Amino acid sequence: MSGALEEPSEPRSLSEAESLRLLASAPFGRVVFSRDALPAVGPVDHVVDSGSIVIRARLGWSVIVIGVAKRITEPDESVRLDGVLKPWVRGTMDHLVRIVPEVVTGFDLVPALR
């Protein structure tokens, strides 16, 4: 995404082929699943293989936050948070979004006992 905070944006629908092409070009993504009857999202490594997506699950913890997201537009707050929130991918990230948690859950994926 690019552009100033004041620029409006709108979603553009992608075709299935374009979506799979974009997905195949990324080294990792997110999987959406249901946990306690609520939607949850977790990061995964993936590959597009013959039109299907194969993911590799990792051991470790995942925290799921469900809440209201609001764009941060106050300039002083944006500058302060920009100094502590560093992107983990290359590229410009112009927008800061605050999520006020309403539900916080998590899980730890550990080896199964045999």
Side-chain angles (χ1 to χ4, degrees), residues 39-41 62-68 99-106:
V41 179
S62 184
V63 172
I64 300 145
V65 176
I66 299 169
V68 176
I99 301 169
V100 178
E102 293 177 0
V103 177
V104 179
T105 62

Side-chain angles (χ1 to χ4, degrees), residues 49-71:
D49 182 63
S50 301
S52 65
I53 294 88
V54 178
I55 65 171
R56 181 187 314 274
R58 287 198 175 116
L59 296 179
W61 58 268
S62 184
V63 172
I64 300 145
V65 176
I66 299 169
V68 176
K70 293 184 180 176
R71 193 169 173 185

Side-chain angles (χ1 to χ4, degrees), residues 1 28 86-93:
M1 248 194 269
F28 54 88
K86 301 299 179 196
W88 51 278
V89 294
R90 289 189 181 140
T92 303
M93 297 194 174

Side-chain angles (χ1 to χ4, degrees), residues 2 7-8 12-13 23 25 41 43 45 48 56 61 63 67-68 73 75 89 94 102-103 110 112-113:
S2 64
E7 290 180 6
R12 178 180 65 88
S13 295
L23 186 60
S25 72
V41 179
D45 293 334
V48 177
R56 181 187 314 274
W61 58 268
V63 172
V68 176
T73 58
V89 294
D94 296 331
E102 293 177 0
V103 177
V110 298
L113 298 176

Side-chain angles (χ1 to χ4, degrees), residues 2-46:
S2 64
L5 289 176
E6 295 79 31
E7 290 180 6
S9 60
E10 61 183 45
R12 178 180 65 88
S13 295
L14 302 175
S15 68
E16 181 178 328
E18 187 176 7
S19 296
L20 287 173
R21 181 186 60 75
L22 289 168
L23 186 60
S25 72
F28 54 88
R30 296 169 196 88
V31 64
V32 178
F33 55 97
S34 178
R35 178 161 174 87
D36 300 326
L38 295 169
V41 179
V44 293
D45 293 334
H46 69 276

